[in-house]
Structures are given as C-alpha cells and as structure tokens.
Amino acid sequence: MSDTPVQTSATVLTVRQVQDYHAMTLVAPAIAERFRPGQFVAVAVGGEHTSRLVRRCFGVYEVKSDYGGTVEVVFADRDLGTAWLAGRRARDQVDVVGPLGRPFRLPRDPVSCLLVGAGPGGAALFALADTLHRRGCQVHFVLGGPTARQVFGSRMAQRIGDTAVITTEDGSLGERGTVRDVLPKAIQETGADVVYGCGPTRLLRTVTGTAAEHGLPSQVSVEEFLQETGACGIGVCMTCVLPIHGEDGMAHMVRACADGPVLRGDRVRWNDLGTIPFDALGAPRTLSGGAK
C-alpha cells in the first residue's frame, strides 16, 4: 500500500439525506486502500465543463471493502458546489483526489480516548473510533450542535462508544447546552488520556483549551478552516495557511491541507487564524522611524 494520493473518477453509489446533511458514498478502491483516519478527499464539483474550479475538501466518515473499496463523506449543502454534489445520483462520476493530508496520531498503548465533534465535520471521528477500538482503546464521544438535526452520528456514537454524551443548544436531543458545558465533566468521568476534536473552529478552540486545563494532549482536525480557505487540497495554492507555535519557539505558518488537517491543538494560534502574525517566521516586518 502506498501513501501517495491518487486522482480518480469515482462512481457514486448513493447520496442520502442524514438530518441536515448529505452522505455520499463513492466507489474509489485506490483511495480506500490508502486511507488513514483524519485524512480527507478533495472533490471536483460542477461537472466536466464547469467554471467552478475550486474543489471541496471533506473528511472521510467511513471506508468499506464493498465494491472493491468505498469512501463515504458527509457534508452540508451550503453553496453551489455542494448543492451540485447533493444532486448526484447512483452511477454518476465524480473526480476525486485522495487521501490527502496528515492523519491522526494513534496511541501506542490502549488508553482512554475522548472524541469530540459537532456538525458534519464530526463524521470523521467515526473512522478514528474504529481504528482506536481495534487497538484496544476505550472510545468515548461528546457530540453537540444547535439542534438535533445538526448533530451527526448520535445513534452511532451511542452504539459503538463506551460512553456517549449528546448535547444540543435547544435541548431537542440529549442535554441542553453546548459542548463547552459538558466537556470538563466528560473528561473527568471517562478518565481520558487524550482528546480528539473534529468540527467547527470554535469547537476546536474549546477542545484545545479544556484539554490543556486538564493537562491532556489534544489533536484536532482543522477541516472547517480548510473548507473555508482552501482551493487545491494539495498544498500548492497557499490559501489555507494558519499560524502555529513551532517546536523551535517561533511562530510558523503551515498549510491546513498538507501540514494538517490534523494538528496538535496546543500548537494552533487560535486567536490569529486568518492572519499572518507579526512574529511569524518570515512575516513582513513594519519598520518604525523610516527605512534603515
């Protein structure tokens, strides 16, 4: 098996509505056999003659051996490109590149893992959960969203997780509140050794901060940031850069696609997303008092 991503014309097997989201299953054996949890695929939208050039990047929900190898992604219909994808039917062809990016780092020994997600991005936690279980780890879930229809995978989490806490802001499913409200208690009750996060950027900030308060490492997938800023998915366009704390103590700019999407939560400079901090290595310096 090679780690090199491939570009392929994948056959659509199914597209189904799941709450407020769409789940698309693609027959893509070459991608399925290379995939590791946390990686993503970049899907072309609009058809062969479209003027929409920017691919859409999605984390992978599930990989199966059916039909030689299938890959399932979950996404929200939020623009013309994703609307086009939602309208695909069985046997349609979709151009896909993958698997891309860096995967989650897995524990060497069986430990207690807390998986925290929200929105369609949280779908990527389930491929991770399967791998962690096979390594003998305990897998606990915390899933949240504004409403029941915006929490993906609650039943699956309750079925496969050692524990699962579901929270909605309107109280329509699980506990009323936010992930921020229930996360500290979940960390304590599960005896978590590591926290993984997938979903909106604000959620990842919460995961990182709460894990740090409890002295725990965190790994987060910045997939939403990649979806909002990325254009190529392969590290060429440089539109998805974000600042991190480097091991050398300097601030560095990294690409969400090629250097991520999985990053150490405590390394990301969450308050500086969307900017190039003045202290970043290689950043332009503002000279005071004129040129010298």
Side-chain angles (χ1 to χ4, degrees), residues 222-247:
V222 293
E223 179 191 332
E224 182 184 74
F225 181 83
L226 174 59
Q227 290 176 351
E228 293 175 349
T229 61
C232 70
I234 58 174
V236 174
C237 68
M238 303 298 289
T239 61
C240 67
V241 293
L242 73 160
I244 67 165
H245 300 284
E247 293 184 4

Side-chain angles (χ1 to χ4, degrees), residues 6-7 14 16 18 22 29 41 98-99 106 147 151 175 190 203 241 253 282:
V6 297
Q7 181 175 2
T14 61
R16 56 194 176 93
V18 183
H22 298 276
V41 294
L106 303 173
T147 69
V151 178
E175 301 183 25
T190 61
L203 171 79
V241 293
M253 302 302 293

Side-chain angles (χ1 to χ4, degrees), residues 146-216:
T147 69
R149 291 188 59 82
Q150 292 169 293
V151 178
F152 178 84
S154 59
R155 292 182 181 178
M156 175 70 77
Q158 291 168 335
R159 185 164 71 249
I160 69 172
D162 292 278
T163 65
V165 177
I166 313 299
T167 179
T168 51
E169 294 174 24
D170 67 353
S172 55
L173 181 66
E175 301 183 25
R176 179 185 293 272
T178 66
V179 168
R180 180 188 294 272
D181 298 327
V182 303
L183 189 54
K185 182 179 179 182
I187 288 175
Q188 294 172 353
E189 292 186 345
T190 61
D193 298 296
V194 60
V195 184
Y196 296 92
C198 290
T201 301
R202 66 182 181 279
L203 171 79
L204 306 184
R205 187 197 303 256
T206 294
V207 167
T208 298
T210 307
E213 290 171 2
H214 289 78
L216 298 179

Side-chain angles (χ1 to χ4, degrees), residues 79-131:
D79 57 40
L80 291 174
T82 48
W84 182 85
L85 284 175
R88 297 309 89 203
R89 297 293 178 262
R91 300 184 183 179
D92 285 349
Q93 298 294 306
V94 179
D95 188 273
V96 186
V97 178
L100 298 167
R102 298 190 179 215
F104 287 108
R105 293 181 181 179
L106 303 173
R108 294 180 180 177
D109 302 309
V111 297
S112 178
C113 303
L114 184 59
L115 281 53
V116 186
L125 292 173
F126 292 92
L128 172 64
D130 180 63
T131 298

Side-chain angles (χ1 to χ4, degrees), residues 27-53:
V27 180
I31 294 177
E33 71 177 5
R34 290 167 168 79
F35 170 75
R36 290 183 289 169
Q39 292 182 301
F40 68 96
V41 294
V43 186
V45 299
E48 184 178 357
H49 303 293
T50 183
S51 60
R52 301 182 192 117
L53 300 179

